[in-house]
mmCIF file of all heavy atoms in Angstrom:
data_model
loop_
_atom_site.group_PDB
_atom_site.id
_atom_site.type_symbol
_atom_site.label_atom_id
_atom_site.label_comp_id
_atom_site.label_asym_id
_atom_site.label_seq_id
_atom_site.Cartn_x
_atom_site.Cartn_y
_atom_site.Cartn_z
ATOM 1 N N GLU M 18 62.760 146.167 91.758
ATOM 2 C CA GLU M 18 61.645 145.432 92.309
ATOM 3 C C GLU M 18 61.951 144.860 93.686
ATOM 4 O O GLU M 18 61.070 144.902 94.566
ATOM 5 C CB GLU M 18 61.278 144.218 91.394
ATOM 6 C CG GLU M 18 59.983 143.593 91.688
ATOM 7 C CD GLU M 18 59.499 142.580 90.648
ATOM 8 O OE1 GLU M 18 59.888 142.896 89.456
ATOM 9 O OE2 GLU M 18 58.751 141.739 90.894
ATOM 10 N N ARG M 19 63.167 144.394 93.886
ATOM 11 C CA ARG M 19 63.499 143.791 95.179
ATOM 12 C C ARG M 19 63.602 144.963 96.230
ATOM 13 O O ARG M 19 63.117 144.765 97.315
ATOM 14 C CB ARG M 19 64.853 143.088 95.101
ATOM 15 C CG ARG M 19 65.259 142.343 96.273
ATOM 16 C CD ARG M 19 66.542 141.460 96.084
ATOM 17 N NE ARG M 19 67.610 142.185 95.681
ATOM 18 C CZ ARG M 19 68.224 142.071 94.425
ATOM 19 N NH1 ARG M 19 67.767 141.254 93.601
ATOM 20 N NH2 ARG M 19 69.260 142.805 94.099
ATOM 21 N N VAL M 20 64.122 146.063 95.924
ATOM 22 C CA VAL M 20 64.255 147.212 96.887
ATOM 23 C C VAL M 20 63.013 147.896 97.088
ATOM 24 O O VAL M 20 62.594 148.221 98.268
ATOM 25 C CB VAL M 20 65.397 148.188 96.376
ATOM 26 C CG1 VAL M 20 65.410 149.446 97.228
ATOM 27 C CG2 VAL M 20 66.669 147.492 96.377
ATOM 28 N N HIS M 21 62.184 148.222 96.025
ATOM 29 C CA HIS M 21 61.074 149.110 96.135
ATOM 30 C C HIS M 21 59.730 148.337 95.982
ATOM 31 O O HIS M 21 58.682 148.882 96.422
ATOM 32 C CB HIS M 21 61.064 150.150 95.097
ATOM 33 C CG HIS M 21 62.117 151.151 95.278
ATOM 34 N ND1 HIS M 21 62.134 152.232 96.130
ATOM 35 C CD2 HIS M 21 63.434 151.258 94.679
ATOM 36 C CE1 HIS M 21 63.237 152.892 96.136
ATOM 37 N NE2 HIS M 21 63.945 152.306 95.219
ATOM 38 N N GLY M 22 59.744 147.129 95.497
ATOM 39 C CA GLY M 22 58.521 146.346 95.318
ATOM 40 C C GLY M 22 57.703 147.067 94.112
ATOM 41 O O GLY M 22 57.917 148.108 93.677
ATOM 42 N N VAL M 23 56.812 146.178 93.596
ATOM 43 C CA VAL M 23 55.926 146.567 92.596
ATOM 44 C C VAL M 23 54.618 145.887 92.871
ATOM 45 O O VAL M 23 54.509 144.932 93.574
ATOM 46 C CB VAL M 23 56.363 146.203 91.219
ATOM 47 C CG1 VAL M 23 57.703 146.900 90.820
ATOM 48 C CG2 VAL M 23 56.608 144.703 91.036
ATOM 49 N N ARG M 24 53.560 146.485 92.257
ATOM 50 C CA ARG M 24 52.260 145.876 92.402
ATOM 51 C C ARG M 24 51.962 145.124 91.148
ATOM 52 O O ARG M 24 52.061 145.590 90.036
ATOM 53 C CB ARG M 24 51.198 146.995 92.571
ATOM 54 C CG ARG M 24 49.875 146.537 93.025
ATOM 55 C CD ARG M 24 48.899 147.568 93.374
ATOM 56 N NE ARG M 24 47.702 147.392 92.592
ATOM 57 C CZ ARG M 24 47.000 148.308 91.932
ATOM 58 N NH1 ARG M 24 47.461 149.558 91.908
ATOM 59 N NH2 ARG M 24 46.028 147.984 91.199
ATOM 60 N N LYS M 25 51.640 143.803 91.320
ATOM 61 C CA LYS M 25 51.339 142.982 90.192
ATOM 62 C C LYS M 25 49.818 143.012 90.008
ATOM 63 O O LYS M 25 49.013 142.961 90.942
ATOM 64 C CB LYS M 25 51.707 141.618 90.481
ATOM 65 C CG LYS M 25 53.297 141.422 90.520
ATOM 66 C CD LYS M 25 53.776 139.964 90.792
ATOM 67 C CE LYS M 25 55.262 140.017 90.916
ATOM 68 N NZ LYS M 25 55.802 138.708 91.207
ATOM 69 N N ALA M 26 49.444 143.173 88.670
ATOM 70 C CA ALA M 26 47.998 143.212 88.402
ATOM 71 C C ALA M 26 47.835 142.774 86.948
ATOM 72 O O ALA M 26 48.846 142.493 86.176
ATOM 73 C CB ALA M 26 47.542 144.715 88.536
ATOM 74 N N GLU M 27 46.579 142.544 86.625
ATOM 75 C CA GLU M 27 46.301 142.181 85.189
ATOM 76 C C GLU M 27 45.592 143.437 84.575
ATOM 77 O O GLU M 27 44.725 143.969 85.155
ATOM 78 C CB GLU M 27 45.339 140.969 85.104
ATOM 79 C CG GLU M 27 46.055 139.744 85.311
ATOM 80 C CD GLU M 27 45.360 138.481 84.925
ATOM 81 O OE1 GLU M 27 44.307 138.612 84.114
ATOM 82 O OE2 GLU M 27 45.619 137.399 85.320
ATOM 83 N N VAL M 28 45.994 143.715 83.321
ATOM 84 C CA VAL M 28 45.437 144.822 82.544
ATOM 85 C C VAL M 28 44.917 144.137 81.318
ATOM 86 O O VAL M 28 45.722 143.664 80.488
ATOM 87 C CB VAL M 28 46.475 145.875 82.293
ATOM 88 C CG1 VAL M 28 45.783 146.953 81.353
ATOM 89 C CG2 VAL M 28 46.995 146.577 83.559
ATOM 90 N N GLY M 29 43.626 144.011 81.204
ATOM 91 C CA GLY M 29 43.094 143.167 80.203
ATOM 92 C C GLY M 29 43.393 141.703 80.459
ATOM 93 O O GLY M 29 43.196 141.255 81.542
ATOM 94 N N ARG M 30 44.120 141.039 79.511
ATOM 95 C CA ARG M 30 44.648 139.760 79.801
ATOM 96 C C ARG M 30 46.172 139.716 80.001
ATOM 97 O O ARG M 30 46.738 138.615 80.028
ATOM 98 C CB ARG M 30 44.233 138.752 78.701
ATOM 99 C CG ARG M 30 42.665 138.574 78.679
ATOM 100 C CD ARG M 30 42.194 137.568 77.751
ATOM 101 N NE ARG M 30 43.107 137.433 76.588
ATOM 102 C CZ ARG M 30 42.547 136.903 75.372
ATOM 103 N NH1 ARG M 30 41.275 136.648 75.285
ATOM 104 N NH2 ARG M 30 43.485 136.902 74.374
ATOM 105 N N ALA M 31 46.712 140.896 80.109
ATOM 106 C CA ALA M 31 48.266 140.958 80.312
ATOM 107 C C ALA M 31 48.616 140.988 81.767
ATOM 108 O O ALA M 31 48.048 141.849 82.475
ATOM 109 C CB ALA M 31 48.741 142.129 79.549
ATOM 110 N N ARG M 32 49.495 140.202 82.165
ATOM 111 C CA ARG M 32 50.102 140.286 83.532
ATOM 112 C C ARG M 32 51.087 141.491 83.560
ATOM 113 O O ARG M 32 52.002 141.570 82.727
ATOM 114 C CB ARG M 32 50.787 139.000 83.969
ATOM 115 C CG ARG M 32 49.871 137.914 84.208
ATOM 116 C CD ARG M 32 50.559 136.645 84.515
ATOM 117 N NE ARG M 32 51.245 136.198 83.281
ATOM 118 C CZ ARG M 32 51.656 135.057 83.091
ATOM 119 N NH1 ARG M 32 51.661 134.147 84.022
ATOM 120 N NH2 ARG M 32 52.259 134.653 81.866
ATOM 121 N N CYS M 33 50.877 142.418 84.433
ATOM 122 C CA CYS M 33 51.702 143.591 84.504
ATOM 123 C C CYS M 33 52.291 143.825 85.821
ATOM 124 O O CYS M 33 51.800 143.274 86.881
ATOM 125 C CB CYS M 33 50.820 144.714 84.132
ATOM 126 S SG CYS M 33 50.045 144.582 82.549
ATOM 127 N N ARG M 34 53.295 144.651 85.857
ATOM 128 C CA ARG M 34 53.930 145.147 87.119
ATOM 129 C C ARG M 34 53.716 146.672 87.187
ATOM 130 O O ARG M 34 54.079 147.329 86.185
ATOM 131 C CB ARG M 34 55.368 144.780 87.248
ATOM 132 C CG ARG M 34 55.645 143.402 87.470
ATOM 133 C CD ARG M 34 57.126 143.114 87.463
ATOM 134 N NE ARG M 34 57.460 141.867 88.015
ATOM 135 C CZ ARG M 34 57.405 140.634 87.328
ATOM 136 N NH1 ARG M 34 57.040 140.651 86.155
ATOM 137 N NH2 ARG M 34 57.750 139.567 88.058
ATOM 138 N N LEU M 35 52.965 147.164 88.186
ATOM 139 C CA LEU M 35 52.701 148.638 88.216
ATOM 140 C C LEU M 35 53.652 149.218 89.246
ATOM 141 O O LEU M 35 53.844 148.744 90.313
ATOM 142 C CB LEU M 35 51.264 148.815 88.706
ATOM 143 C CG LEU M 35 50.141 148.001 87.843
ATOM 144 C CD1 LEU M 35 48.740 148.253 88.406
ATOM 145 C CD2 LEU M 35 50.231 148.462 86.415
ATOM 146 N N LEU M 36 54.203 150.347 88.802
ATOM 147 C CA LEU M 36 55.145 151.105 89.703
ATOM 148 C C LEU M 36 55.134 152.635 89.307
ATOM 149 O O LEU M 36 54.651 152.964 88.256
ATOM 150 C CB LEU M 36 56.487 150.520 89.617
ATOM 151 C CG LEU M 36 57.020 150.411 88.105
ATOM 152 C CD1 LEU M 36 58.060 151.553 87.826
ATOM 153 C CD2 LEU M 36 57.619 149.103 87.853
ATOM 154 N N ALA M 37 55.563 153.421 90.225
ATOM 155 C CA ALA M 37 55.719 154.800 89.931
ATOM 156 C C ALA M 37 57.004 155.031 89.121
ATOM 157 O O ALA M 37 58.012 154.507 89.381
ATOM 158 C CB ALA M 37 55.820 155.556 91.231
ATOM 159 N N ALA M 38 56.808 155.817 87.964
ATOM 160 C CA ALA M 38 57.934 155.961 87.042
ATOM 161 C C ALA M 38 59.107 156.791 87.598
ATOM 162 O O ALA M 38 60.275 156.388 87.379
ATOM 163 C CB ALA M 38 57.440 156.671 85.762
ATOM 164 N N ARG M 39 58.846 157.864 88.407
ATOM 165 C CA ARG M 39 59.935 158.763 88.833
ATOM 166 C C ARG M 39 60.865 157.925 89.741
ATOM 167 O O ARG M 39 62.102 158.027 89.492
ATOM 168 C CB ARG M 39 59.409 159.949 89.520
ATOM 169 C CG ARG M 39 60.321 160.842 90.179
ATOM 170 C CD ARG M 39 61.530 161.291 89.356
ATOM 171 N NE ARG M 39 61.177 161.810 88.104
ATOM 172 C CZ ARG M 39 62.068 161.983 87.119
ATOM 173 N NH1 ARG M 39 63.354 161.685 87.231
ATOM 174 N NH2 ARG M 39 61.762 162.475 85.929
ATOM 175 N N PRO M 40 60.468 157.151 90.706
ATOM 176 C CA PRO M 40 61.391 156.396 91.528
ATOM 177 C C PRO M 40 62.124 155.426 90.713
ATOM 178 O O PRO M 40 63.358 155.168 90.923
ATOM 179 C CB PRO M 40 60.514 155.690 92.583
ATOM 180 C CG PRO M 40 59.318 156.543 92.674
ATOM 181 C CD PRO M 40 58.999 157.041 91.348
ATOM 182 N N LEU M 41 61.591 154.831 89.690
ATOM 183 C CA LEU M 41 62.312 153.895 88.877
ATOM 184 C C LEU M 41 63.324 154.552 88.106
ATOM 185 O O LEU M 41 64.507 154.093 87.972
ATOM 186 C CB LEU M 41 61.373 153.160 87.893
ATOM 187 C CG LEU M 41 61.985 152.290 86.821
ATOM 188 C CD1 LEU M 41 62.816 151.153 87.407
ATOM 189 C CD2 LEU M 41 61.017 151.750 85.766
ATOM 190 N N VAL M 42 63.036 155.717 87.445
ATOM 191 C CA VAL M 42 64.021 156.532 86.696
ATOM 192 C C VAL M 42 65.139 156.887 87.603
ATOM 193 O O VAL M 42 66.413 156.712 87.280
ATOM 194 C CB VAL M 42 63.429 157.727 86.090
ATOM 195 C CG1 VAL M 42 64.499 158.687 85.449
ATOM 196 C CG2 VAL M 42 62.427 157.281 84.934
ATOM 197 N N ASP M 43 64.880 157.496 88.810
ATOM 198 C CA ASP M 43 65.984 157.847 89.768
ATOM 199 C C ASP M 43 66.883 156.769 90.109
ATOM 200 O O ASP M 43 68.097 156.883 90.059
ATOM 201 C CB ASP M 43 65.363 158.484 91.014
ATOM 202 C CG ASP M 43 64.684 159.815 90.724
ATOM 203 O OD1 ASP M 43 64.913 160.469 89.677
ATOM 204 O OD2 ASP M 43 63.871 160.230 91.619
ATOM 205 N N PHE M 44 66.237 155.550 90.377
ATOM 206 C CA PHE M 44 67.035 154.380 90.770
ATOM 207 C C PHE M 44 67.838 153.873 89.568
ATOM 208 O O PHE M 44 69.071 153.552 89.774
ATOM 209 C CB PHE M 44 65.995 153.283 91.160
ATOM 210 C CG PHE M 44 66.650 151.935 91.624
ATOM 211 C CD1 PHE M 44 67.041 151.775 92.902
ATOM 212 C CD2 PHE M 44 66.920 150.971 90.680
ATOM 213 C CE1 PHE M 44 67.655 150.638 93.294
ATOM 214 C CE2 PHE M 44 67.499 149.736 91.044
ATOM 215 C CZ PHE M 44 67.885 149.559 92.356
ATOM 216 N N ALA M 45 67.233 153.793 88.358
ATOM 217 C CA ALA M 45 67.979 153.335 87.154
ATOM 218 C C ALA M 45 69.197 154.209 86.839
ATOM 219 O O ALA M 45 70.180 153.728 86.480
ATOM 220 C CB ALA M 45 67.003 153.246 86.066
#
């Protein structure tokens, strides 16, 4: 999150962090 950032949003009533999965997997 610090390096790539994420988009914060609400889905329904849930606070979420939206991000592209492939960059996260590669990073992880």
Side-chain angles (χ1 to χ4, degrees):
E18 191 169 332
R19 190 171 53 249
V20 171
H21 293 278
V23 296
R24 192 172 127 223
K25 295 180 181 179
E27 284 196 18
V28 177
R30 293 189 327 208
R32 288 178 291 194
C33 300
R34 287 177 164 83
L35 306 177
L36 54 104
R39 175 51 49 196
L41 173 61
V42 169
D43 293 342
F44 181 88

